[in-house]
Amino acid sequence: MTDFLIYLIEGALIGQVYALIAMGFVVIYRASKVFNFAQGELVVLGGYLVWWMVLGSGLPAWVGIPLAFALAALTGIVIERIFFSRLVGESLFSMVMVTVGLLVLLRGVFLVIWGAHVRPFPMIVPMRPLILGELFISRSLLIGGAVTVVAAVGLSWFFNRTTAGLRMTAVAEDHQIAMSLGISVKRSVAFAWMLGAVLSTVGAIVFLNGKSLSFLASDIGFAALPVAMLAGLESIGGLILAGLVVGIAQGMAAAYLDPLLGGGVSTVLPFVVMILILFFRPNGLFGWKLIERV
Amino acid sequence: MLELNNVEAIYSEVILVLKGISLHVPEGGCVALLGSNGAGKSTTLKCISGLIRPEDGAVTGGNITFLGKRIDALPAEAVVRRGLVHVMEGRKVLEHMTTQQNLMVGGHMHRDAARRRQNLERVYALMPPLANLRQRTAGYLSGGEQQMLVIGRALMAEPTMMLIDEPSLGLAPMLVEEIYAILAELRAHGLTLLLVEQNTRAALEIADHGYVMENGRIVMEGSAAQLKSNEDIREFYLGLDQSGERKSYRDIKHYKRRKRWLG
């Protein structure tokens, strides 16, 4: 029973880490309608920036981390300036293709700047687990889960209630309509990438805390994709539930199926979930349904 | 208030769609831009509002002035800030957002929340059906409601002039009347209108001046009364014969007369 509880809680919390990473992705989608294939690279970028500011330069964490956030935001703006600002008005598909290019480019840039060797990632949250009776719960995952929930609720409110958020929602609906309403699509896209990069940095801190960092950490970007698909690409609040579903399913598979089937089921399972979603409910649980009028 | 002087526009750097359009809309006036499909009416509006650029088009000649200042080089969002809004053709609501969110987004440029609220109530007062649909998803509203919504959304920007493209498109005659009643009321409150329509009859009821476009050129202009009594307009756009009777479709096969203007 205790085992089951541990798997359940751990799965749920890891699901929230996925949800946090997926949030960076959804925010970009939600404010620009661009499907960002380079989400994993943004996480690696965040990871390296934190490593660079905290371990590389030896600054204390409370200075280094805000600096890393600022640098991530700056990179987001630079990405918009260089790649997206001249694509406004072109087909959305070309913007999406740019993110594929960005994936390759960023990976190359990381290798040039930071090299291929594995580096230790700073321990921002103490590794000592929280002990509740017989349960050992990782502190960083717990804090990560809390951050995810707070960020999801906050961003949901932002996109549905505030004027600035509604403006971006309008851009996600349709670039041309947004322009006709006097909304600057460029500014919205810039803000999307800024926010996406910062959220990815938060995600990197939670995900990589006390582990090691190399450019291969970008795999998490694809691992988080099923969560975004299940929630529906437009829904930020839905990420929490989707993260729970995917995380718990994965945790259970790791605990009970992997030993029977020789491992690997838990890694594949989220993607099986993703394919099933695409079959039966392509808009996810809370995404925007295609409105067709007859 | 709005002045177009010999405006030329092209799409994709080769297709010349406007071949020297000149028109004038006086302050507080209502001008109708008439013509058949593909005449360049919507493109004219897009040139004015700047929305031609994201469609890979450009104004290549002439100039457009609004309130005495050139606006043909401004991005679309700057034009809106000057008080000139464009209500696009085809009831372009933000489908997945609610009625209220659609309206609030229309007034996004005003920082003062109280002012936005006030504008919102004014829109609901002008179009009472919308007030009961505040929390509805805009994509599921009926055609007439959507048309009201896009007009209301444009009003949230507190414009002094509105470009409106085919507000009657695909609406039942009763709804067309309702929409035009709203436009008439807006006119009475001092809003300047430039109206693009294929429904010539409805447009000439509200407009005081009209231009007829064909093939990227203006081929005729005149006051609404003049246009209404013009033989060619009566025959080709209003479907009436000399005596003002509605023309029977039986006679149309004998149709030999040609338009008297050069298109």
Side-chain angles (χ1 to χ4, degrees):
Chain A
M1 192 59 209
T2 339
D3 278 354
F4 176 77
L5 265 183
I6 289 179
Y7 293 135
L8 187 77
I9 293 171
E10 192 126 297
L13 289 176
I14 288 175
Q16 293 312 299
V17 176
Y18 289 155
L20 187 58
I21 309 270
M23 210 177 295
F25 174 89
V26 168
V27 160
I28 290 177
Y29 190 82
R30 192 55 211 274
S32 66
K33 215 179 181 184
V34 173
F35 191 101
N36 174 25
F37 280 100
Q39 179 56 30
E41 312 309 309
L42 287 187
V43 176
V44 176
L45 171 79
Y48 272 118
L49 288 175
V50 171
W51 171 84
W52 192 32
M53 286 293 117
V54 176
L55 288 187
S57 67
L59 289 169
W62 60 271
V63 185
I65 291 178
L67 266 176
F69 285 151
L71 280 177
L74 191 70
T75 317
I77 294 173
V78 169
I79 287 174
E80 190 275 339
R81 276 284 97 142
I82 299 177
F83 301 103
F84 292 102
S85 69
R86 60 198 76 195
L87 284 177
V88 170
E90 300 288 329
S91 82
L92 212 54
F93 187 68
S94 42
M95 286 203 186
V96 176
M97 288 314 286
V98 165
T99 69
V100 176
L102 204 58
L103 186 154
V104 179
L105 178 75
L106 283 178
R107 185 168 286 207
V109 169
F110 299 151
L111 284 174
V112 169
I113 302 180
W114 289 294
H117 41 274
V118 177
R119 297 169 193 278
F121 193 79
M123 213 184 295
I124 311 289
V125 183
M127 289 295 268
R128 193 167 42 84
L130 203 69
I131 303 166
L132 288 174
E134 292 178 35
L135 300 176
F136 285 59
I137 301 168
S138 150
R139 220 172 269 259
S140 68
L141 283 183
L142 208 57
I143 292 174
V147 169
T148 309
V149 173
V150 170
V153 171
L155 286 168
S156 250
W157 175 81
F158 172 75
F159 278 108
N160 289 311
R161 291 274 180 277
T162 66
T163 315
L166 284 178
R167 229 181 268 169
M168 284 173 214
T169 308
V171 173
E173 285 260 15
D174 189 299
H175 287 189
Q176 196 192 21
I177 299 178
M179 275 184 237
S180 83
L181 297 175
I183 295 167
S184 166
V185 173
K186 281 182 198 178
R187 207 178 304 162
S188 191
V189 174
F191 186 80
W193 281 86
M194 204 175 90
L195 203 58
V198 171
L199 274 173
S200 302
T201 310
V202 178
I205 293 174
V206 173
F207 172 58
L208 294 169
N209 184 47
K211 297 188 192 133
S212 55
L213 167 68
S214 80
F215 68 99
L216 292 173
S218 65
D219 286 353
I220 184 77
F222 285 110
L225 205 52
V227 175
M229 302 292 274
L230 181 60
L233 293 176
E234 291 92 357
S235 172
I236 295 171
L239 286 173
I240 297 177
L241 186 63
L244 285 178
V245 171
V246 172
I248 291 175
Q250 194 178 23
M252 292 297 143
Y256 300 109
L257 291 179
D258 280 359
L260 294 178
L261 298 168
V265 180
S266 58
T267 327
V268 181
L269 191 77
F271 296 98
V272 175
V273 172
M274 183 166 88
I275 288 170
L276 289 179
I277 302 162
L278 288 173
F279 274 157
F280 297 109
R281 210 183 153 94
N283 304 307
L285 294 175
F286 308 99
W288 284 348
K289 287 179 192 64
L290 186 68
I291 296 181
E292 270 181 295
R293 297 168 52 98
V294 189
Chain B
M1 187 173 205
L2 178 76
E3 195 90 46
L4 269 71
N5 201 346
N6 215 9
V7 170
E8 267 182 22
I10 62 174
Y11 280 120
S12 307
E13 292 172 11
V14 281
I15 309 158
L16 184 65
V17 268
L18 297 186
K19 304 162 185 168
I21 297 284
S22 299
L23 60 82
H24 167 74
V25 184
E27 183 146 15
C30 173
V31 171
L33 199 52
L34 309 167
S36 55
N37 280 333
K41 309 181 299 289
S42 298
T43 303
T44 308
L45 294 196
K46 282 175 188 159
C47 285
I48 301 169
S49 66
L51 285 178
I52 190 170
R53 251 159 284 139
E55 296 195 340
D56 200 17
V59 178
T60 49
N63 55 62
I64 303 171
T65 52
F66 178 62
L67 295 171
K69 294 210 177 73
R70 286 279 293 263
I71 56 167
D72 40 281
L74 290 181
E77 63 260 22
V79 176
V80 177
R81 276 165 210 274
R82 300 213 174 172
L84 178 61
V85 289
H86 182 173
V87 178
M88 286 186 294
E89 183 180 359
R91 307 194 286 268
K92 295 264 170 55
V93 296
L94 298 163
E95 288 189 330
H96 301 93
M97 296 163 78
T98 64
T99 304
Q100 182 121 333
Q101 285 177 331
N102 262 275
L103 292 172
M104 289 310 265
V105 121
H108 69 92
M109 64 289 283
H110 303 307
R111 279 164 187 253
D112 180 6
R115 188 162 153 197
R116 283 199 302 260
R117 284 266 140 211
Q118 206 181 348
N119 288 338
L120 190 68
E121 290 315 318
R122 207 174 297 155
V123 169
Y124 285 142
L126 183 70
M127 294 175 252
L130 292 183
N132 302 321
L133 302 165
R134 290 172 199 234
Q135 299 310 322
R136 279 291 193 83
T137 306
Y140 292 118
L141 298 182
S142 75
E145 289 157 0
Q146 288 189 340
Q147 188 61 53
M148 285 184 204
L149 180 55
V150 291
I151 294 174
R153 190 177 62 189
L155 291 175
M156 291 294 289
E158 298 180 17
T160 50
M161 177 168 182
M162 186 187 284
L163 313 171
I164 180 160
D165 200 346
E166 301 263 10
S168 73
L169 187 77
L171 294 184
M174 240 172 71
L175 288 171
V176 174
E177 249 171 63
E178 208 170 314
I179 296 293
Y180 271 87
I182 292 169
L183 292 181
E185 194 169 336
L186 291 176
R187 257 207 87 176
H189 283 100
L191 185 71
T192 309
L193 284 173
L194 176 57
L195 173 71
V196 158
E197 256 304 354
Q198 300 217 28
N199 188 338
T200 310
R201 197 184 309 272
L204 288 180
E205 281 307 311
I206 183 176
D208 31 44
H209 201 85
Y211 293 83
V212 180
M213 281 185 78
E214 222 164 76
N215 257 324
R217 287 196 180 86
I218 285 173
V219 290
M220 191 190 254
E221 74 161 300
S223 71
Q226 277 169 349
L227 290 178
K228 262 192 271 187
S229 59
N230 180 287
E231 260 179 50
D232 290 324
I233 299 283
R234 287 171 78 83
E235 178 153 4
F236 294 112
Y237 286 100
L238 297 171
L240 300 172
D241 67 12
Q242 310 285 349
S243 58
E245 291 291 308
R246 199 167 264 257
K247 207 163 178 148
S248 161
Y249 284 106
R250 202 165 26 175
D251 302 330
I252 286 181
K253 62 180 170 190
H254 303 300
Y255 191 97
K256 283 233 172 62
R257 237 171 47 102
R258 307 188 68 177
K259 295 177 196 171
R260 289 186 196 139
W261 61 65
L262 295 169

